[in-house]
Amino acid sequence: EVQLQQSGAELVKPGASVKLSCKTSGYTFSNYYMSWLKQMPGQNIEWIGNIYGGNGGTGYNQKFKGKATLTVDKSSSTAYMDLSSLTSEDSAVYFCAREYYDGTYYYDYVMDAWGQGASVTVSS
Amino acid sequence: DVQMTQSPSYLAASPGESVSISCKASKSISNYLAWYQQKPGEAYKLLIYSGSTLQSGTPSRFSGSGSGTDFTLTIRSLEPEDFGLYYCQQYYEKPNTFGAGTKLELK
């Protein structure tokens, strides 16, 4: 069974950074892309970027360049997202989600397995 | 960015009924559209991709149609487990973008 287990809720001060994790199991991590997404209360889901588990290659939504940094640790099949210089606009639930690969074709940005979400609250 | 407009934002229906949710793109996205379901306490679930292809495990009472700018998710003969939130997503153009969601509630 494919599982994406995200780290817990974070309460951080403005200007600080936070690192979220997404530990995976049940599939070959290096064969898939992992996306990260943001959902603020009452707002649309926003795609932040993605990273390839095989070589760590990344792609970002221009809006989140400089805000988010995606990395992977293949040895532990875990994806990470660093968020820097946090403000109240970064308070949201963040999701990791695996992009769909049917064994032959990569369906870019179609997410077939999601983590449960991690809440980040930025407050002094 | 491609804007995705979903309607209605709220829908109340009874088990056994059929419902449809609309999703309109601000420009043509061919059939690069996916539908997701979220239920309280559960992870998002991919239902349909490529506009009309059911993801493995999606019940056949779900169907997707449309291409270009207009898409529809139809659920025939609602089951109690179908109530929740539904989102459309375009992945034709980067960044991929989502609709605002439709809340399907039990009448």
Side-chain angles (χ1 to χ4, degrees):
Chain A
E1 180 191 5
V2 174
Q3 291 192 331
L4 282 65
Q5 183 64 42
Q6 295 189 237
S7 46
E10 300 272 3
L11 173 61
V12 293
K13 295 190 185 309
S17 298
V18 69
K19 189 169 188 173
L20 307 181
S21 67
C22 175
K23 184 168 177 57
T24 73
S25 61
Y27 71 97
T28 303
F29 182 79
S30 58
N31 286 351
Y32 288 80
Y33 288 84
M34 185 73 76
S35 269
W36 287 86
L37 304 105
K38 175 184 181 183
Q39 188 169 29
M40 296 176 72
Q43 303 293 315
N44 287 22
I45 301 164
E46 295 181 281
W47 180 78
I48 295 170
N50 65 356
I51 185 165
Y52 186 52
N55 61 9
T58 55
Y60 291 93
N61 183 338
Q62 186 69 30
K63 178 179 178 179
F64 292 95
K65 282 187 176 178
K67 170 62 66 178
T69 303
L70 306 184
T71 56
V72 295
D73 177 358
K74 287 200 294 183
S75 68
S76 64
S77 299
T78 302
Y80 298 93
M81 177 172 68
D82 271 292
L83 296 169
S84 62
S85 304
L86 292 166
T87 71
S88 59
E89 288 300 301
D90 299 312
S91 293
V93 177
Y94 292 87
F95 296 92
C96 59
R98 187 185 78 165
E99 294 186 18
Y100 183 37
Y101 170 55
D102 67 5
T104 301
Y105 185 74
Y106 284 95
Y107 289 82
D108 295 346
Y109 316 122
V110 176
M111 274 69 83
D112 73 336
W114 293 62
Q116 80 277 20
S119 173
V120 173
T121 302
V122 182
S123 175
S124 55
Chain B
D1 297 0
V2 179
Q3 304 302 311
M4 304 301 292
T5 304
Q6 245 182 279
S7 62
S9 55
Y10 173 83
L11 189 54
S14 301
E17 291 184 354
S18 294
V19 297
S20 292
I21 298 170
S22 170
C23 185
K24 294 183 185 294
S26 60
K27 62 181 282 187
S28 176
I29 58 169
S30 184
N31 66 339
Y32 288 78
L33 186 101
W35 290 96
Y36 298 88
Q37 177 194 61
Q38 189 200 24
K39 295 192 283 187
E42 297 185 16
Y44 280 81
K45 179 182 175 184
L46 173 65
L47 296 173
I48 288 169
Y49 61 97
S50 298
S52 60
T53 303
L54 265 60
Q55 170 67 341
S56 175
T58 300
S60 59
R61 62 182 179 274
F62 288 85
S63 65
S65 63
S67 67
T69 60
D70 292 348
F71 300 85
T72 302
L73 172 69
T74 300
I75 313 171
R76 293 189 185 81
S77 190
L78 280 166
E79 296 283 343
E81 61 265 29
D82 297 336
F83 295 93
L85 283 159
Y86 290 84
Y87 295 90
C88 63
Q89 176 216 14
Q90 69 80 20
Y91 52 98
Y92 175 79
E93 188 174 281
K94 184 181 173 181
N96 62 94
T97 48
F98 289 76
T102 295
K103 188 173 187 179
L104 175 58
E105 281 201 341
L106 181 64
K107 188 188 287 183

